[in-house]
C-alpha cells in the first residue's frame, strides 16, 4: 500500500515524497512510575521498528509522537536505532 501511494504522488517533488511510520507511547507507565522497565520498553520499540523494516512496506522514516514521558521517548529512540 505504501509503494502504491508513493507512485501516485506528483513527481514534481525535488526530494521525496517520504512515507513515515508513526509510533506513539506504549500506553503503560514506564519505570520509575510504572512496572515496565526501560530495557523492556526499548525492546518493544525495537520489535515494532524491525517489523516495519522487515515488512514489504517501504517506510522512509519513523515519527515519534505524543510521548509525555521523556524516558519512554528515549527508549523508543534507542530501540529504533538498534
Amino acid at each position: 500500500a505504501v509503494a502504491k501511494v508513493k507512485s501516485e504522488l506528483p513527481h514534481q517533488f525535488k526530494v521525496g515524497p517520504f512515507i513515515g511510520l508513526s509510533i506513539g507511547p506504549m500506553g503503560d507507565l514506564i519505570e520509575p512510575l510504572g512496572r515496565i522497565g526501560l530495557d523492556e520498553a526499548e525492546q518493544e520499540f525495537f520489535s515494532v521498528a524491525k517489523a516495519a523494516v522487515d515488512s514489504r512496506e517501504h517506510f522512509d522514516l519513523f515519527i515519534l509522537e505524543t510521548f509525555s514521558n521523556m524516558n519512554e521517548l528515549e527508549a523508543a529512540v534507542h530501540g529504533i536505532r538498534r
Side-chain angles (χ1 to χ4, degrees):
V2 173
K4 183 176 188 284
V5 169
K6 274 182 125 173
S7 69
E8 293 174 355
L9 290 171
H11 295 286
Q12 67 261 25
F13 294 109
K14 294 184 186 217
V15 177
F18 296 107
I19 303 295
L21 176 65
S22 175
I23 299 174
M26 295 175 61
D28 287 324
L29 293 176
I30 305 297
E31 66 182 16
L33 301 174
R35 59 182 176 76
I36 297 175
L38 291 173
D39 292 338
E40 183 181 353
E42 183 177 319
Q43 180 60 41
E44 287 299 315
F45 288 112
F46 169 76
S47 297
V48 169
K50 183 171 181 349
V53 169
D54 291 346
S55 74
R56 291 187 190 174
E57 305 299 339
H58 301 283
F59 296 104
D60 299 304
L61 56 107
F62 295 101
I63 302 165
L64 300 175
E65 60 180 346
T66 69
F67 284 83
S68 59
N69 182 319
M70 292 298 109
N71 290 334
E72 185 177 10
L73 178 59
E74 186 175 359
V77 169
H78 288 296
I80 290 169
R81 287 185 171 171
R82 279 206 301 189

